[in-house]
Each structure stands twice: as C-alpha cells, then as structure tokens.
Amino acid sequence: MNKVILTGNLTRDPEYKTTSAGELTSGSIAVNGYKEGEVYYFDFNVWGKRASTFTQYTSKGKKVLLEGRLQQQTWEANDGAKKSKVVINVENFEFLSPRGEATAPSQPSYDESQAGDEDIPF
C-alpha cells in the first residue's frame, strides 16, 4: 500500500505550469516532527484541473492537508552523479487555514473521486 496523509504549512507559493502531461502545481510543505523543534520538508505535485484550484486558493504559510502517494524520482546530475528524491503526488487536499486568512470567500477541498480520467496524467 502506498498512501500518505500530511498536515503542514506551505514553505513557498505553489508554482503552476502546463506540461505535456497536463496542468501541474508543485510546492513544498513543512510538517512538524515528534520532537520539539523537529520539522520535515516534503515536495509535492498536484496534477490536472485541481492544480489550478490549489494554486488559486493557497500561498506561502497556509496550512493544508495533503493526501496522496509517494513517488521516487531519479535523474542524473550534470556531474554524472545519480540523484533521487521522493515526491508526494497529491490525490486529495483540504485547506486548513482559518477563514480570516483565506484568499477566497470559501475554503474548498478537492477529492479525486470528483475528477475524470482525463485529469490524471498516468
């Protein structure tokens, strides 16, 4: 089983772009660890129509819940060294910042079950 659920704050404004695989929003989330002062950072991708929704209603510092699957990405650096990182492919999300901090009148959430097959790039 490959499933992850994280709650944390965005470390930067999400970056939206259109790729050959479709719409993509990428970003990073900071999640508190078990010990005082311990913080973990995770990169994430939101694909399809939900990518523009995520970008529209979030910004650096906003609290979000992300649910998705882990994907290991590998590549070769300019110096020939093999590199890899684990990224969260977001399937569902929820905005958790208080309403007074919202960038829109409502706090929408997105559930992948609302998406059509054309929204999923794989």
Side-chain angles (χ1 to χ4, degrees), residues 18-90:
T18 303
T19 70
S20 60
E23 296 177 75
L24 168 66
T25 292
S26 59
S28 178
I29 185 173
V31 178
N32 289 332
Y34 292 107
K35 296 179 183 176
E36 179 79 26
E38 191 175 54
V39 179
Y40 301 111
Y41 299 92
F42 300 96
D43 291 335
F44 65 85
N45 293 321
V46 182
W47 290 94
K49 292 180 182 175
R50 61 189 182 268
S52 61
T53 301
F54 190 90
T55 304
Q56 181 180 359
Y57 293 105
T58 60
S59 59
K60 179 180 178 178
K62 298 294 184 188
K63 182 170 260 194
V64 295
L65 178 142
L66 303 178
E67 178 182 349
R69 297 173 189 261
L70 300 176
Q71 177 186 18
Q72 186 169 16
Q73 298 177 342
T74 58
W75 69 95
E76 189 172 312
N78 291 339
D79 62 0
K82 299 217 184 257
K83 303 279 186 172
S84 71
K85 70 177 180 175
V86 175
V87 175
I88 302 162
N89 278 322
V90 176

